[in-house]
Amino acid sequence: MRGVLLLHHNDMKTLLLIDANALIHRAFYALPPMTDSKGNPVNALYGLSSILLRVVREMKPDYVAAAFDLPEPTFRHKEYKEYKAQRKKASPELIAQLKVAPRVFEAFGMKVMSAEGFEADDVIATLAEKFRKEPRLHIMIITGDMDTLQLVEGKKVEVCTMKKGIGETTIYDETGVEERFGITPAQLPDFKGLKGDPSDNIPGVPGIGEKTAVTLLQEFKTLENLYDRIRCDKELIPAKTYAKLIEHKDQAFFSKYLAITRRDLPLNVTLDDLAFLLSVDSLKSLFESYHFRSLLLRLQESSSRGVSNPKKEEETASTALICSAFSAIPHTELALSCEDGRLCLTNRKGAFCYIEEDHDVTLLSAVYADTERFIAYDAKGVIRWHMDHGVALPRISFDCMIAAWLLDPEYRDYGLRALTKRMFKKEGGNEYIFSLYDAQLKKLVKYELMHVFSDIEMPLIPILATMERRGIALNVSQLNAVRVRTETELNDLERDIFSTSDSSFNINSPKQLSEVLFTLLKLPTKGLRKTPQGAISTDAGELAKLRGAHPIIDLILRYRELNKLKTTYLDALPKSLDAHTGRLHTTFNQTGTATGRLSSSDPNLQNIPAQGSEAVEIRNAFVAEKGFQFAAFDYSQLELRIVAALSQDATMMNAFLEKKDIHAITAAEVNGISLSEVTPELRRQAKTLNFGIIYGMGARAFAESSGLSLHEAKRFIQKYFENFKGIKAYQDSLIGFAKTYGYVKTESGRRRYLPDITSGNPKFQAQAERAAINMPVQGLEADIVKQAMINADTWIKEQNLEETVRLLLNIHDELLFEIEKEKVRNVIAPLRGIMEQAFPLAVPLVVDIKMGDSWGSMQHL
């Protein structure tokens, strides 16, 4: 029976017996975390209150008792120390709510009861026994487990169990118990005596399962009769079963003893003592204290039932749309998405509705209470919506956008409608989310992508959402001072450029600049690249080749550098500040690259320049909150360490294992000299090649970046691979794999498809080969950093440090934290250890740490 508890027995009165602890546990684990204005957890209290409102409305009880377990050991614990010993210790959030839960029942006007040395089930059993002979009284027990089913008696005593969270219920009368178990309610303790009960750690008879236990009880009725009969005639049952029963006879009877609910507790209470009358004022006060706005609305509707108020009905219809759209449609799964700032809810049948700004969004918690599984399209956007609207977050297990990206990382349009059209050849959106989910889940399993999806990308989503919402502080006045100085220098440079060229033109126009440089000033064009339109390129890299040919070149390059800083950062960053928080809030893009690397936009905080005096001043404008300090954790030479580990090249691995300078060793190996003979210039060239090799850099590109001639560059690369044979073999194997299978993959399973690897077009094939070499390295690099973020976030939460240790930014291989100054020394070492142990490489991961009050002033620890 789903969504409805019970039709009221109009011709009888109802005694409602509630297993309070069971309901509170169900509510706690069914609902996402919620807190009141003081930060206290309240999700279990909210769920409990919601259940009780529904119970009162649908069952209309005349008498109510809520039975609680006490924290002290019961007689069962004292006689059997292993009783329920396997159960995990309740979380502090749950314990805190259990302590105040009696207030909820009392506010409803319900009698709260408990008995020292006994469980809530024993209190319920005693009350049921005490009043079961009362004429015209129906007894309903509400619980979250099956222990009280042994109390069922015809239709006189029934049990309502909650399952699948708190939204689906089943009513058991005597017939229902027999249909479910094949035995009567009175036989359930005997059943546990044979089979045991893992949930309570009751042992039973080892080797006797449910089917055998039911078969025995159907024939022998009780445990006592079973043993009496087989003692006289062991041939009545199979030999193996007989042996088990005889060997564990004492354990069987003891298990039955533990399973029997006690019905003889000395409870001094009359039926009149349990009389129930809904206390509206007390409930209103309770709900207001916890800010349960949606429950206040439901309470108001219940208390004013039968009174016509058109205006109120209109308001209720508007705010209750959220619940009415789904409460009438059975659902255990919901798909969530955001569109135009609105949240959209879709059920498995494709029915969906939008949550408008004028709706009471707190009603969502009631909808979510009936939901077992949440999936989403753009889970990060959905999480941000819930954060911004102050609604408790659902636990999202699947994101169709992330799945689409993992399955096809080269595809660039991951919009919901585009995905629907691409996969199903149909126009549509939200109504197809579950269809996407079903198809994508199968493909993720088929292509062995579930690890990277479930263990890396999905756990990362709420972390990124929190980082985006948290933002980073910016000292605007400091940035403005840099902007004023930059504008002054730009004006001076413009004047000098015009004077040097003896002409006025738009310096930012490639066409006009080309005419001045190559037509008016007649600068040499040999060796300069051309644009696709055939004009001589004036890109910074090409102009750098002309340094020394004319004074105007250095002026233009400096002008471009400063103009980019001004337009991209000095002008734009202050405009990006959030008016409410006063902080910059970037967007982290999970689906922005084919390798798995995160990107940043609006504004891009991963590309804040680091070199040059102006760049340092810009970074200095990013400041830690008062009382906090920045700490940057940067992986040292992560890509090279990954190459060494994956290629198993002995020379490179030894360099990292022995903590030597890899670039100096490379220079020595390639040039055939000793380490002491390596000059800074040779080391620079080796460093360029080390990193270039990762990207499949060719001789021409290496010549341009290193300053070597093409001949020298070719010789350098040849010598490199002669000395680092493992790297060459590894890269050749990657290209071979890609040509055979059409893709490459990372150690974590991430894939990139390379259809051009066998295209026959030399240009496209070369690009694909470079991607084949680069992707397994960069992809693993991305996954290591992401795993470090997940592990760090988990540790921070476990240590209850969310407010004092804040992850702000990911800048490629670096994580920037904002840490309370008093906590810095205590958390630096653990965070470094977490990052260095993020992934088991064959060479050690090393993390460098810098600290400071601003981003630009940080110093190495």
Side-chain angles (χ1 to χ4, degrees):
M1 182 180 298
R2 182 181 299 174
V4 178
L5 286 173
L6 184 70
L7 293 176
H8 184 57
H9 292 246
N10 292 316
D11 58 336
M12 300 181 71
K13 290 190 174 183
T14 298
L15 166 60
L16 190 64
L17 302 176
I18 300 174
D19 184 343
N21 288 72
L23 261 63
I24 295 164
H25 275 79
R26 286 273 173 173
F28 179 79
Y29 291 108
L31 294 178
M34 299 169 60
T35 57
D36 61 13
S37 59
K38 298 179 181 178
N40 299 313
V42 294
N43 63 323
L45 301 180
Y46 179 95
L48 174 64
S49 300
S50 180
I51 293 169
L52 294 179
L53 279 175
R54 186 156 67 106
V55 166
V56 169
R57 182 183 74 248
E58 296 177 7
M59 295 188 63
K60 303 178 180 65
D62 303 284
Y63 310 96
V64 180
F68 273 85
D69 290 330
L70 293 174
E72 293 78 13
T74 66
F75 75 94
R76 294 181 180 88
H77 293 93
K78 292 177 180 178
E79 294 190 39
Y80 182 54
K81 65 179 180 179
E82 288 82 13
Y83 181 67
K84 296 185 178 182
Q86 87 292 352
R87 294 191 179 183
K88 294 181 180 180
K89 185 178 180 181
S91 69
E93 293 80 5
L94 175 56
I95 292 173
Q97 294 178 82
L98 279 168
K99 290 180 179 178
V100 298
R103 288 179 50 200
V104 175
F105 289 95
E106 290 166 355
F108 270 87
M110 298 175 176
K111 178 77 171 178
V112 173
M113 300 187 69
S114 58
E116 186 176 346
F118 298 92
E119 297 178 67
D121 287 349
D122 300 315
V123 174
I124 289 172
T126 298
L127 293 174
E129 179 68 17
K130 188 179 184 72
F131 301 119
R132 68 183 179 85
K133 294 183 180 180
E134 286 283 338
R136 306 186 68 77
L137 180 70
H138 173 252
I139 301 174
M140 173 60 73
I141 300 168
I142 295 186
T143 183
D145 56 42
M146 301 288 195
D147 291 342
T148 53
L149 289 180
Q150 60 188 275
L151 305 175
V152 171
E153 180 181 341
K155 292 186 178 293
K156 174 71 174 182
V157 180
E158 296 178 313
V159 171
C160 172
T161 63
M162 296 200 168
K163 57 182 180 178
K164 292 188 176 180
I166 56 177
E168 184 173 339
T169 58
T170 300
I171 306 297
Y172 285 97
D173 57 11
E174 194 156 352
T175 301
V177 173
E178 291 177 2
E179 289 176 349
R180 166 66 176 82
F181 293 96
I183 54 177
T184 67
Q187 290 177 294
L188 286 173
D190 302 87
F191 175 75
K192 290 189 177 184
L194 291 169
K195 177 185 175 293
D197 185 354
S199 65
D200 289 340
N201 209 31
I202 295 176
V205 177
I208 300 292
E210 180 173 340
K211 185 177 179 180
T212 302
V214 169
T215 300
L216 290 172
L217 291 175
Q218 286 175 341
E219 181 175 356
F220 299 101
K221 307 306 179 186
T222 67
L223 200 61
E224 290 80 1
N225 189 49
L226 167 65
Y227 275 96
D228 285 342
R229 295 277 303 278
I230 65 173
R231 183 183 58 183
C232 299
D233 186 358
K234 67 180 181 179
E235 302 296 326
L236 292 173
I237 59 175
K240 289 184 179 180
T241 303
Y242 176 83
K244 293 172 186 176
L245 290 172
I246 295 302
E247 181 181 359
H248 300 285
K249 177 181 178 181
D250 291 341
Q251 187 166 291
F253 280 100
F254 184 60
S255 295
K256 176 179 178 178
Y257 167 75
L258 293 173
I260 295 174
T261 52
R262 293 283 295 271
R263 308 186 187 195
D264 58 349
L265 274 58
L267 300 180
N268 185 20
V269 61
T270 66
L271 193 59
D272 288 340
D273 293 333
L274 306 182
F276 170 73
L277 180 64
L278 184 68
S279 179
V280 175
D281 289 338
S282 296
L283 273 184
K284 182 180 178 183
S285 176
L286 179 78
F287 292 169
E288 286 176 344
S289 69
Y290 287 124
H291 302 287
F292 291 162
R293 290 188 293 163
S294 61
L295 298 187
L296 281 168
L297 175 64
R298 287 169 59 185
L299 178 64
Q300 189 170 358
E301 290 172 354
S302 299
S303 61
S304 61
R305 190 182 298 116
V307 180
S308 179
N309 184 337
K311 184 175 185 300
K312 182 61 187 176
E313 288 175 3
E314 182 180 346
E315 293 174 356
T316 300
S318 173
T319 55
L321 174 63
I322 302 168
C323 287
S324 65
F326 285 92
S327 60
I329 305 174
H331 67 279
T332 56
E333 297 175 292
L334 280 181
L336 308 176
S337 62
C338 286
E339 187 175 324
D340 301 325
R342 300 177 300 170
L343 181 70
C344 182
L345 283 71
T346 307
N347 73 356
R348 165 90 44 191
K349 294 182 178 180
F352 63 91
C353 75
Y354 290 98
I355 310 306
E356 306 291 347
E357 286 300 319
D358 61 344
H359 292 151
D360 181 0
V361 296
T362 59
L363 291 174
L364 282 169
S365 295
V367 175
Y368 293 165
D370 292 335
T371 308
E372 259 197 331
R373 178 185 295 111
F374 294 91
I375 69 169
Y377 169 79
D378 183 15
K380 179 156 66 68
V382 169
I383 292 172
R384 286 295 309 271
W385 187 96
H386 284 76
M387 287 178 170
D388 294 342
H389 287 79
V391 180
L393 299 177
R395 295 182 178 92
I396 298 172
S397 61
F398 196 96
D399 186 340
C400 293
M401 183 175 73
I402 298 298
W405 166 62
L406 280 177
L407 290 167
D408 191 353
E410 297 290 339
Y411 192 56
R412 282 292 168 260
D413 189 352
Y414 299 108
L416 180 55
R417 296 187 182 279
L419 293 177
T420 299
K421 188 171 184 179
R422 189 177 183 217
M423 183 165 286
F424 306 117
K425 312 301 181 189
K426 295 179 180 180
E427 299 288 343
N430 292 295
E431 66 269 36
Y432 288 102
I433 292 182
F434 274 104
S435 298
L436 281 172
Y437 161 69
D438 293 336
Q440 289 173 335
L441 182 59
K442 291 178 182 177
K443 288 187 176 182
L444 289 172
V445 173
K446 178 180 178 180
Y447 297 120
E448 300 177 334
L449 289 166
M450 283 305 295
H451 166 64
V452 69
F453 177 79
S454 298
D455 298 335
I456 297 178
E457 296 299 342
M458 288 304 299
L460 187 68
I461 293 172
I463 298 173
L464 296 178
T466 301
M467 291 166 64
E468 289 179 359
R469 192 164 191 265
R470 183 176 287 144
I472 187 170
L474 186 72
N475 186 332
V476 176
S477 60
Q478 181 172 332
L479 206 63
N480 285 337
V482 180
R483 180 174 56 81
V484 170
R485 293 198 303 272
T486 301
E487 287 176 345
T488 300
E489 186 173 351
L490 282 171
N491 290 333
D492 293 341
L493 285 166
E494 183 180 75
R495 185 180 62 250
D496 292 343
I497 290 170
F498 292 163
S499 174
T500 303
S501 64
D502 199 22
S503 64
S504 296
F505 62 98
N506 182 355
I507 302 172
N508 297 311
S509 166
K511 182 179 179 181
Q512 292 185 35
L513 178 60
S514 181
E515 289 176 353
V516 169
L517 295 179
F518 307 119
T519 302
L520 179 63
L521 299 178
K522 301 186 184 304
L523 295 182
T525 60
K526 185 178 179 180
L528 300 181
R529 292 179 181 173
K530 292 185 177 181
T531 67
Q533 292 75 32
I536 302 299
S537 173
T538 57
D539 286 346
E542 299 306 305
L543 292 185
K545 298 175 183 178
L546 295 173
R547 273 190 161 138
H550 196 285
I552 197 173
I553 297 300
D554 285 334
L555 295 174
I556 291 172
L557 289 173
R558 176 61 175 166
Y559 179 92
R560 281 191 171 176
E561 177 189 0
L562 289 182
N563 192 56
K564 181 179 180 180
L565 290 176
K566 177 180 179 298
T567 56
T568 307
Y569 306 109
L570 299 174
D571 292 342
L573 289 177
K575 296 176 183 177
S576 299
L577 278 178
D578 186 280
H580 299 290
T581 67
R583 294 167 75 92
L584 283 175
H585 300 270
T586 188
T587 297
F588 290 103
N589 307 306
Q590 274 177 281
T591 61
T593 68
T595 61
R597 266 192 168 189
L598 291 171
S599 61
S600 166
S601 60
D602 303 321
N604 184 350
L605 297 185
Q606 289 186 333
N607 276 359
I608 302 297
Q611 304 300 322
S613 58
E614 292 83 8
V616 172
E617 289 187 276
I618 291 174
R619 288 200 166 208
N620 274 334
F622 290 85
V623 293
E625 185 178 312
K626 186 177 181 181
F628 284 74
Q629 205 170 17
F630 282 154
F633 294 74
D634 188 10
Y635 280 109
S636 172
Q637 299 175 329
L638 180 55
E639 288 178 323
L640 291 176
R641 292 173 187 272
I642 291 172
V643 169
L646 296 182
S647 69
Q648 292 289 293
D649 182 88
T651 303
M652 188 170 278
M653 286 184 68
N654 287 336
F656 286 119
L657 291 170
E658 296 172 8
K659 300 181 181 180
K660 293 181 179 179
D661 184 339
I662 183 61
H663 302 311
I665 289 176
T666 301
E669 293 284 344
V670 170
N671 290 283
I673 59 178
S674 66
L675 278 174
S676 61
E677 296 176 281
V678 173
T679 65
E681 177 59 22
L682 291 176
R683 185 184 183 280
R684 185 189 66 80
Q685 292 173 357
K687 181 178 180 180
T688 301
L689 187 55
N690 269 328
F691 285 107
I693 288 296
I694 297 171
Y695 300 98
M697 178 187 284
R700 188 174 298 279
F702 177 49
E704 291 177 357
S705 60
S706 65
L708 296 170
S709 68
L710 182 59
H711 174 75
E712 290 174 321
K714 288 180 178 179
R715 184 194 65 81
F716 212 97
I717 292 176
Q718 181 182 352
K719 291 290 292 182
Y720 184 95
F721 284 128
E722 287 175 0
N723 287 279
F724 297 93
K725 291 183 175 64
I727 295 176
K728 176 63 174 172
Y730 167 67
Q731 294 186 347
D732 287 345
S733 71
L734 290 175
I735 294 173
F737 184 94
K739 287 181 177 179
T740 301
Y741 298 101
Y743 69 90
V744 288
K745 63 179 182 178
T746 67
E747 290 288 295
S748 50
R750 190 185 300 277
R751 294 187 178 196
R752 183 176 183 180
Y753 292 89
L754 302 167
D756 290 335
I757 197 78
T758 55
S759 69
N761 182 311
K763 179 181 178 181
F764 293 158
Q765 189 168 329
Q767 290 175 346
E769 289 181 359
R770 285 195 294 273
I773 291 171
N774 166 247
M775 188 274 174
V777 177
Q778 264 206 350
L780 181 55
E781 174 192 21
D783 288 338
I784 289 174
V785 174
K786 289 178 176 179
Q787 191 64 62
M789 294 170 71
I790 294 167
N791 294 351
D793 181 75
T794 300
W795 180 80
I796 289 168
K797 289 175 178 175
E798 288 175 349
Q799 301 298 315
N800 296 317
L801 295 172
E802 292 99 319
E803 296 304 315
T804 56
V805 182
R806 308 162 178 170
L807 177 56
L808 300 186
L809 297 177
N810 157 252
I811 311 98
H812 306 307
D813 296 344
E814 178 183 314
L815 300 182
L816 181 67
F817 289 85
E818 187 176 55
I819 305 174
E820 191 175 272
K821 289 184 177 179
E822 294 181 358
K823 301 284 186 181
V824 167
R825 296 297 171 185
N826 296 331
V827 304
I828 289 293
L831 286 175
R832 171 184 262 163
I834 287 168
M835 291 184 65
E836 292 183 341
Q837 299 300 318
F839 190 88
L841 274 187
V843 297
L845 293 175
V846 175
V847 172
D848 295 327
I849 302 175
K850 292 191 295 184
M851 296 174 58
D853 294 329
S854 71
W855 198 0
S857 66
M858 291 193 296
Q859 300 295 319
H860 284 283
L861 192 63

